[in-house]
Amino acid sequence: MTRVPPPSSPAPPPAPGPRTGPYAERTRPWWSEIDALLAVVWFVFAMIVAGIVTVIAITIGGDDLTDNPVYALFFGTAAFQAMQATYPWLVSRRKGLGIKEDWRFVSSLPNDIFIGLGLAALCVIGSQIATFGAAALVGLEDTNDASNTGILDDNRGSIWIVGVIFLVVVGAPLAEELLFRGLILRVLQKSLGGVFAVVISSILFAIPHWQADASWQETIVLLSALATVGLVLGTGAVVTNRLGPAIIAHFVFNAIGTVVTLWL
């Protein structure tokens, strides 16, 4: 009787070949200073998108474009914040290891709550010192005009103000921390070190908050206060090596500003 030999085992799959393409030799993460520079371009693009969304909202609402109703502000701001948060996500997905690893978009609770409250207190104190110090230097007597919360005070009777408050207290901290204390700070920290990264990212954080209808004195006071806030939040992000405390501090700081504007 002839014995039939057992079937041979299947051949192992071929080993994967070398990576091909223009990024074959790149090792993740390979984001760099160019991505911080392109963030400025993206920021301008985000402003354009927000402006288009605002115009569409006003057109649908049937109002005059010069009125700038609060509902249009809500939709424009929501689009702008979404664009701000999208850029770090895109860079991390294309060149990095994810926003958790690249930009330290993580928290350690409950410790970060207490750290965040401490940072928020420093933000309040530091911004007040910067406000009155800068006002004294430029000769500004009424510092109440050197604020970017006027839209809240002007529309306190509108139902849409609830949505605007949500964007100010929740949306802005998430989007801005991910962009400024996430991507921009970490990219600069990688090449320039922590001190320069905190300083430069704080300046870049303050500049977009300027108000078009403000005087140059009011602008200097406002940007000085916000740059100080950026220094506190940036230092917290570097020292703790995560964004959790800075995000919580930003929540609290904006919430305090909102309460003071609307109810005090």
Side-chain angles (χ1 to χ4, degrees), residues 10-214:
R19 291 165 53 186
T20 59
Y23 307 120
E25 303 302 322
R26 303 277 187 164
T27 301
R28 289 179 179 267
W30 51 276
W31 35 261
S32 62
E33 294 88 344
I34 186 64
D35 297 297
L37 292 175
L38 290 176
V40 178
V41 179
W42 183 274
F43 202 91
V44 174
F45 175 57
M47 294 177 64
I48 295 174
V49 171
I52 293 173
V53 171
T54 300
V55 171
I56 292 175
I58 295 175
T59 303
I60 294 175
D63 287 298
D64 191 282
L65 292 177
T66 59
D67 291 340
N68 196 23
V70 66
Y71 66 83
L73 173 70
F74 169 79
F75 287 110
T77 303
F80 181 66
Q81 291 179 356
M83 292 290 291
Q84 274 188 294
T86 297
Y87 181 71
W89 177 80
L90 287 174
V91 173
S92 182
R93 180 178 176 84
R94 185 71 183 86
K95 300 181 177 182
L97 303 170
I99 59 176
K100 178 179 178 180
E101 293 294 331
D102 293 325
W103 320 134
R104 308 306 299 156
F105 194 64
V106 293
S107 63
S108 177
L109 300 177
N111 292 339
D112 283 358
I113 295 177
F114 300 106
I115 298 174
L117 291 175
L119 291 175
L122 291 176
C123 285
V124 173
I125 296 171
S127 63
Q128 289 301 303
I129 293 174
T131 294
F132 290 108
L137 289 175
V138 300
L140 182 67
E141 295 181 359
D142 187 4
T143 58
N144 291 326
D145 293 333
S147 171
N148 60 348
T149 59
I151 190 67
L152 297 175
D153 195 34
D154 295 340
N155 296 278
R156 63 175 66 209
S158 172
I159 187 63
W160 286 98
I161 201 66
V162 176
V164 174
I165 290 174
F166 176 82
L167 294 178
V168 169
V169 177
V170 179
L174 287 172
E176 292 177 351
E177 292 308 309
L178 187 56
L179 178 62
F180 292 102
R181 256 71 64 182
L183 184 147
I184 292 177
L185 185 144
R186 297 302 174 183
V187 168
L188 296 176
Q189 184 183 16
K190 183 178 179 181
S191 57
L192 301 177
V195 174
F196 285 104
V198 169
V199 172
I200 296 174
S201 65
S202 299
I203 295 173
L204 293 177
F205 165 71
I207 291 174
H209 290 85
W210 71 282
Q211 304 295 298
D213 57 347

